[in-house]
Amino acid sequence: MYKEYDISENGVPHLENIDLLKNSLKKIANEDYYNSLPINKRDGEINPYSCHGDLARMRLIHSSDRKEIIRLLKKCFPKITFRLTGFFIYGPGDYLSEHTNSNDPGNTMYITYATGESSFSYRFHPSEEFIKTEDAIDGITLRTFSLNSEGPFTHHKVDCENGYRTSIGLRYVQIK
């Protein structure tokens, strides 16, 4: 089983071969792998309408592992066509501040595997409180939502309190 959040209420594509996906992401969600990668860090003033988080601390999954993950995702989601948009690993205390991804609209899915406490929070307007969704620990979490180039936006952010969190982002079209 896996955890899923259907934020825009458009449905969540069915995940096949969950154990293959879990084992692949689990291999890279660890201290040694994380420490072998350069830090991707941004320090800026938070703007809730930013396309990308103005404050960030995470690392990018190595390009050789991305190719394996893409091949695997085709087996795990055979009924969708997709384009990958993010390959991240977060360590203890890492984060990505509030942003909209309004420069890349479409149906969005984030696939995560976490070894500790981490979360994805969202809201539809900066005046609202964030809705926090927690990642499954030692499991797969799927989150789907819509991104718009103009409002209303899905403002979202990531926090990794402890452990390691791999996150794969994609834009997809569901084939029925």
Side-chain angles (χ1 to χ4, degrees):
M1 295 303 295
Y2 54 90
K3 196 178 214 180
E4 62 181 46
Y5 296 96
D6 183 6
I7 294 166
S8 296
E9 299 180 3
N10 293 330
V12 177
H14 177 71
L15 170 58
E16 298 183 17
N17 301 305
I18 185 172
D19 289 333
L20 287 174
L21 181 58
K22 178 182 171 183
N23 291 334
S24 179
L25 296 180
K26 186 175 187 173
K27 281 191 267 182
I28 59 178
N30 62 67
E31 183 176 14
D32 289 340
Y33 185 89
Y34 176 84
N35 287 334
S36 73
L37 302 169
I39 295 173
N40 183 350
K41 187 172 183 180
R42 292 190 295 271
D43 291 314
E45 194 170 315
I46 295 177
N47 173 359
Y49 291 99
S50 173
C51 293
H52 299 289
D54 298 314
L55 290 174
R57 180 184 162 89
M58 87 280 265
R59 298 171 191 225
L60 299 175
I61 293 172
H62 194 273
S63 61
S64 62
D65 293 314
R66 294 178 197 180
K67 292 174 185 175
E68 177 187 332
I69 290 168
I70 290 169
R71 283 191 295 274
L72 181 58
L73 289 175
K74 289 178 182 179
K75 293 178 185 177
C76 293
F77 296 100
K79 295 183 179 175
I80 65 172
T81 57
F82 60 87
R83 171 178 55 86
L84 278 290
T85 59
F87 294 91
F88 304 112
I89 180 168
Y90 297 82
D94 284 355
Y95 51 87
L96 177 57
S97 68
E98 180 177 11
H99 60 287
T100 64
N101 291 114
S102 60
N103 63 330
D104 191 11
N107 291 326
T108 302
M109 180 164 44
Y110 289 161
I111 304 161
T112 60
Y113 172 84
T115 65
E117 296 173 338
S118 59
S119 62
F120 171 96
S121 300
Y122 67 94
R123 60 186 177 181
F124 300 107
H125 191 274
S127 65
E128 299 174 346
E129 294 294 319
F130 276 104
I131 298 168
K132 183 178 181 180
T133 63
E134 297 187 5
D135 293 325
I137 297 175
D138 192 31
I140 297 292
T141 303
L142 304 179
R143 289 179 181 84
T144 59
F145 54 99
S146 296
L147 293 173
N148 301 312
S149 60
E150 297 179 6
F153 298 112
T154 304
H155 301 261
H156 53 287
K157 66 179 186 168
V158 173
D159 290 292
C160 183
E161 295 174 39
N162 55 60
Y164 296 88
R165 176 189 200 264
T166 56
S167 175
I168 310 300
L170 53 90
R171 303 295 182 270
Y172 70 95
V173 177
Q174 192 155 353
I175 302 169
K176 303 220 178 192

